Amino acid sequence: MSRTRQLTTDTLFAIQIGFTLVWGGSQFIRLLSSMQGVNISWFLSWLAFLLLNLALALRAHANQPSRVTLQTIWSYAAWTAMVAADLGVMLWRGTHIWDGTDTVTTLLVAAGLALTLLVAHRLSLGIVDPMVKGYLAVAFKAIPQLALAYKIMMMGGRGLSPVAVVTGHITILTRLGQLWYSIKEAGWDRNRRGSALSELANEGSWIVATLAWLVR
């Protein structure tokens, strides 16, 4: 890796970690005062999404280790810790926080997972296949964020921190940047294609949730 490319990837990694902490901290503080418009199923699904992507990143690093793939692992690990902390504060503060939107979201996610596994079975692909994991990550992330957008439109979105809304986009885009450099370095293997699929769906659905938050 050239010195310029290494500097770029290191900068993306620093931005990712810094804004991950900003996102997690600002959302943690907001949830201490309001949970309006926030689904507990969103956080639960997000945690599953992050664990899947962490698994993809670990496999990519095992297949062809590099500074970039290691940074990607640390990025997903940091996000996992932040989302787990925010989910923890919801469970700690919440009383009767599971509602109809959570039930519908869970059913839609389950349907997405079932469809993915059915297609994978017909194609003779196991659950450990990177592209299968990528589609599972889409079900875990994109569907709950679209449900979040609906709940925000119906109830308002004071439970979302404005800082978290903005930094959410920044962190997704920097992860895509990290992935881009990883692809330029090692090519389009199935692990990286699975990660790209999940992150593009992540950004698209977060745009929809952001628009709902702005309008509401």
Side-chain angles (χ1 to χ4, degrees):
M1 181 186 293
S2 68
R3 186 171 182 82
T4 300
R5 183 175 293 182
Q6 181 175 315
L7 178 61
T8 302
T9 56
D10 287 349
T11 300
L12 288 172
F13 176 64
I15 292 171
Q16 176 69 211
I17 294 299
F19 279 106
T20 298
L21 296 175
V22 171
W23 191 100
S26 64
Q27 190 58 45
F28 187 92
I29 292 170
R30 177 54 63 97
L31 289 171
L32 290 173
S33 60
S34 175
M35 292 188 291
Q36 185 190 65
V38 178
N39 295 332
I40 191 170
S41 57
W42 173 48
F43 278 111
L44 287 169
S45 298
W46 192 351
L47 192 59
F49 164 85
L50 289 166
L51 291 171
L52 275 172
N53 274 281
L54 183 57
L56 288 170
L58 286 167
R59 284 180 64 87
H61 184 69
N63 290 340
Q64 191 166 345
S66 71
R67 188 186 187 93
V68 173
T69 55
L70 185 60
Q71 289 173 345
T72 303
I73 289 171
W74 279 109
S75 295
Y76 280 119
W79 266 108
T80 300
M82 291 297 99
V83 171
D86 288 340
L87 176 62
V89 76
M90 285 192 74
L91 294 173
W92 173 61
R93 285 195 67 249
T95 53
H96 308 292
I97 55 178
W98 187 275
D99 61 16
T101 305
D102 290 303
T103 300
V104 172
T105 300
T106 302
L107 291 173
L108 290 174
V109 170
L113 298 179
L115 179 61
T116 299
L117 294 175
L118 176 62
V119 173
H121 177 72
R122 292 180 65 87
L123 295 175
S124 299
L125 298 173
I127 193 170
V128 297
D129 181 84
M131 289 303 295
V132 174
K133 286 185 177 180
Y135 280 106
L136 291 174
V138 171
F140 276 125
K141 196 69 171 71
I143 292 174
Q145 284 187 169
L146 294 176
L148 178 72
Y150 172 79
K151 187 170 183 177
I152 289 172
M153 289 297 296
M154 296 296 101
M155 300 182 59
R158 285 201 302 270
L160 276 181
S161 161
V163 174
V165 172
V166 175
T167 56
H169 290 290
I170 294 172
T171 54
I172 296 170
L173 293 175
T174 53
R175 281 199 301 276
L176 284 169
Q178 289 175 304
L179 181 60
W180 170 249
Y181 276 101
S182 177
I183 291 166
K184 289 183 69 175
E185 184 178 74
W188 275 100
D189 65 8
R190 289 179 70 80
N191 288 293
R192 290 167 178 81
R193 278 187 283 166
S195 291
L197 170 67
S198 63
E199 288 294 4
L200 288 171
N202 186 13
E203 174 62 13
S205 57
W206 191 240
I207 288 173
V208 175
T210 300
L211 291 174
W213 181 80
L214 290 171
V215 170
R216 192 62 173 84

